[in-house]
Amino acid sequence: MIYHFLVPLSAQLGAFNVFRYITFRSIYALLTALVLTIVLGPMLIRWLQKIKCGQYIREDGPQHQCKAGTPTMGGLIIGMAVMCSTLLWADLTNIYVWLTMFVFTGFGVVGFVDDYIKVVKKRNKGLSPAAKLGGQLLVAGIAVSLLIMEPAYSTTLSVPFFKNINPDLGWFYLPFAIFVLVGSSNGVNLTDGLDGLAIGPMIVGAGCFALFIYVAGHSEMAGYLKVTHVPGVGEVTVFCGALVGAGLGFLWYNAYPAQIFMGDVGSLSLGGVLGFISVLAKQELLLTIVGGVFVFETLSVILQVSYFKFSGGKRIFRMAPLHHHFELKGIPESKIIIRFWILSLLMALMALSTLKLR
Ligand code: 57M
């Protein structure tokens, strides 16, 4: 809204021209979301404590009993900050911005319903896995269908490290992109089991994709770096900025020892939207490198569950997802978290290097 209000004034006062720049608005979107989460965080924590939205802790697995009662559904504040900041700073005539907000809200609603049943209604099971997956598929299906109908958007695939390989998936792109969104959403959800473990790599991922999406939307840069150009998509950088800001503000309270957890409302929406941004930036496969931590966590679950079934009860890891394995080995929680953050930074740098290594 600031964009729509101030840019027309640039005819009278040249200084307002600065609001045209995506980079300028992305930085202010980051700061706005950061300030909103830091200022409103304590209020949300007190309110969630008052209405007794505390986390139930399972008794099997690593000892987290001291965390019992920590308020959850902190994803609400991330959602509110990201949406307010995007609505303030982005060009709201841009279809990609609206699709991104739709994915973020849609996955958030699925997570919210799950949290609500678990935490408010005190039924520990939450939504059934089928209902949860159904909700995710529906949101992803609507968003990707609308996206591929956009004339400027192509259904080709970029292959990291190979600039000349761009197969056109045609209609097969629809199930593929839906898989990316749903997989990413569940990957972040599985990772969200230690203080700051999911939000750290999420901040790094959003920052990294801010750059990729900016380049994809910029015809000269995309041409120079030989990445697929998607006209108009650069505006989503503002959303990525808001995501980084809200993530940092949330980490302020979710850092070890956490005062609040994000809940499914946070993990499903963040994961889903990261997947969607990778699709918008035409860097779908690169998401496996940028979100490497989420991929390792998910693979550990797939391997563990499959091996458990086929071997009649044997395990590869002491417990899956991977962070539980390290906890059960006796590594302190804060050390595991920081090592996973380091890993995510390294993976993001590796992903950025693909811009030149082609
Ligand atoms: C939800 N939820 C956390 C919090 C957070 C298939 C199977 C591997 C699924 C997996 C599972 O259910 N994963 C998804 C993970 C929970 O956190 C809440 O959930 C939200 C995210 N959805 O925001 O609201 C707990 O995680 C801890 N936590 C923190 N700090 C944070 O900032 O400490 C979360 C955020 C919280 C808190 O303790 O209560 C969770 O872990 O439950 N299931 C598992 O992870 C289970 N693994 C398992 O059963 N492994 C088996 C294989 C064969 C499937 C095995 O390896 O033998 C373990 N989960 C737990 N205990 N908690 C089992 C032991």
Side-chain angles (χ1 to χ4, degrees), residues 55 64 67 72 189 192-195 254 263-264 304 315 320:
Q55 179 72 45
H64 280 196
K67 301 183 183 216
T72 185
N189 188 33
D192 189 28
L194 295 180
D195 301 349
N254 182 232
D264 280 20
Q304 179 91 327
R315 288 179 165 82

Side-chain angles (χ1 to χ4, degrees), residues 105-149:
T105 316
F107 276 83
V109 169
V110 178
F112 177 82
V113 175
D114 190 40
D115 282 338
Y116 186 82
I117 300 172
K118 275 193 275 195
V119 187
V120 183
K121 293 274 172 196
K122 311 280 179 217
R123 277 187 250 141
N124 291 331
K125 286 271 178 244
L127 270 181
S128 71
K132 208 163 161 178
L133 184 65
Q136 292 175 310
L137 287 172
L138 182 71
V139 176
I142 297 174
V144 177
S145 305
L146 292 172
L147 177 65
I148 59 181
M149 277 191 248

Side-chain angles (χ1 to χ4, degrees), residues 264-288:
D264 280 20
V265 60
S267 59
L268 296 190
S269 57
L270 290 172
V273 87
L274 191 69
F276 189 65
I277 294 168
S278 77
V279 167
L280 283 179
K282 301 301 308 163
Q283 296 293 349
E284 312 85 346
L285 296 181
L286 205 72
L287 178 64
T288 55

Side-chain angles (χ1 to χ4, degrees), residues 178-199:
I178 293 175
F179 173 77
V180 172
L181 268 67
V182 175
S184 168
S185 177
N186 289 319
V188 174
N189 188 33
L190 286 172
T191 308
D192 189 28
L194 295 180
D195 301 349
L197 189 69
I199 199 67

Side-chain angles (χ1 to χ4, degrees), residues 1 3-4 25 85-92 97 235 238:
M1 280 175 255
Y3 172 83
H4 296 283
R25 285 181 287 116
S85 179
T86 307
L87 289 171
L88 272 179
W89 293 103
D91 170 1
L92 298 177
V97 171
E235 193 62 32
V238 178

